[in-house]
Amino acid sequence: ANETECLARQYVCAMSIGSAPVVLPDEEIDVMLAKFKTYGKKPSELQDLSDFERKHAISAPPRKDVVGLAGTGAGEVPFAEARRKVIETCLKMEAMGINQGTSGNASCRVPGGFVVTSSGVPYDKMRPDQVVFMDLEGNFHGAFQPSSEWRMHYDIYKSVPQAEAVVHAHPTYCTALSSQRRHIPGFHSMVAVAGARTIPCADYATFGTQELSDSLLAALGESSKSALLANHGMICYGPDLDKALWLANETECLARQYVCAMSIGSAPVVLPDEEIDVMLAKFKTYGKKPSELQDLSDFERKHAISAPPRKDVVGLAGTGAGEVPFAEARRKVIETCLKMEAMGINQGTSGNASCRVPGGFVVTSSGVPYDKMRPDQVVFMDLEGNFHGAFQPSSEWRMHYDIYKSVPQAEAVVHAHPTYCTALSSQRRHIPGFHSMVAVAGARTIPCADYATFGTQELSDSLLAALGESSKSALLANHGMICYGPDLDKALWLANETECL
């Protein structure tokens, strides 16, 4: 019942773009029927198959057991922590709404190979010993067969040395776009987090086949970390399971924003390749320490995310030891960011929040997930533009700083990338006075600031020009939205109201 609703949702979303999705030929659906007749089944359960069904049955890799590598169900299994993390990731996919049932899968690299979800076992019932170890010769170990999509995981680990974790899912908007054989173009700066100018769509091939794996690798090329799979879903990799899951969710967020923009009836403005190249350079340095930024090119160094000057004053910076100054304000900033996620108006670390405190303001730090952020990691900045402490402020610190400098009544700022605000902003549209609630933002319209590169003074200047003397909320072209209020609760309320409008 749930899978039927998921398919209906994907189909409706695909049609909302204005053209019908590509429908697979009957002959291909017949292959699917044969595959699903064998899905998650043991050999003893597969009697009386026809020659056609036997030809197209889901094929497992060879089995090869080495003592100490396979899960046995008795006692502690090898790579237990990695196996538990794989299960945790799959459960998080469901909680995020980017997957359902056993239709997606996850894996992570371990010494000698990788561990991947098993075939046909529901994730809420999966035990660590049921997560399958596969070696890099293409053999699986233990009593449980790996996911029917094991080839894509295997080939990524063989071909991409930096891939440490892989996530595959069938999220609604990625699947809708993939069913129209569309890629996600550079309509938003966040497209660059996937490593290339677009998030490509791999050519169609039957699931579980070498042809699909080959098509995926061709789409990823040398730089992309995420790809759609035609009439199927999406897949991505990362340096660990948390970051791979974050990228899977971000890919779906971008797909949702892009579909929503196109559903208005005209295509969004796509940023030029030269601007996306700037984004790629910026994201290469995002959330990184200087020691992690060796071997940058001149272009990457020129466009690296720039932090403000650091200036420590005793008693102002968070140290991690004991109670930090402005602790309650810092906790409130974290709470606000978590509420943004719970409301669905932001995801990951792509938005940020701040509030005014004596002598300056406290703002989220760069690259630290909000569910793991501590109060001492929320950064104090003074009104001379310096940050204090060991953690750098959000890459969008300039917008917060300039609002506090220019708008005396601003006591809190919230910036996010919500779906509908971003869709409108990618078409450079404002929100006109079509509803009485538009006026809560202080002006006749909620304006859209002209495009400028994220994290730059140009963007901050564009924002202030759009806000003018009265507006408290604005869209940011090809980016998202930002607003301010008399406290964080009211600023968050206005951010959510702007998205509702």
Side-chain angles (χ1 to χ4, degrees), residues 39 71 96 98 106 169 179 181 193 243 287 302 306 326 340 393:
Y39 178 71
M96 288 174 166
I98 62 172
S179 72
R181 315 293 171 87
V193 298
K243 290 186 174 65
K302 176 183 177 182
S306 59
F326 314 125
M340 280 200 286

Side-chain angles (χ1 to χ4, degrees), residues 144-161:
F144 298 92
Q145 292 187 5
S147 163
S148 58
E149 300 286 21
W150 63 269
R151 282 183 176 86
M152 289 197 293
H153 296 256
Y154 173 74
D155 283 343
I156 286 174
Y157 291 122
K158 288 283 282 186
S159 304
V160 186

Side-chain angles (χ1 to χ4, degrees), residues 128 139 148 179 200 279 348 350 367 393:
N139 307 298
S148 58
S179 72
M279 300 296 115
S350 55

Side-chain angles (χ1 to χ4, degrees), residues 51-85:
D51 289 344
F52 181 84
E53 290 166 341
R54 194 170 290 107
K55 175 183 177 183
H56 295 290
I58 291 171
S59 60
R63 177 179 172 180
K64 176 185 178 185
D65 288 341
V66 175
V67 175
L69 286 180
T72 63
E76 187 70 359
V77 295
F79 314 124
E81 186 54 40
R83 294 178 197 243
R84 280 191 285 267
K85 188 69 178 179

Side-chain angles (χ1 to χ4, degrees), residues 337-404:
C337 291
L338 293 173
K339 283 183 177 179
M340 280 200 286
E341 294 222 22
M343 288 174 166
I345 62 173
N346 205 63
Q347 60 285 331
T349 59
S350 55
N352 32 75
S354 67
C355 68
R356 199 188 288 269
V357 296
F361 61 98
V362 288
V363 62
T364 44
S365 50
S366 180
V368 181
Y370 300 133
D371 59 348
K372 297 178 181 178
M373 190 175 286
R374 306 185 309 264
D376 67 287
Q377 293 173 312
V378 177
V379 181
F380 173 77
M381 284 194 65
D382 62 40
L383 293 180
E384 284 69 54
N386 307 297
F387 80 96
H388 299 245
F391 297 93
Q392 293 186 5
S394 163
S395 57
E396 300 285 20
W397 64 269
R398 283 183 176 86
M399 290 196 293
H400 297 255
Y401 173 73
D402 283 345
I403 287 175
Y404 291 122

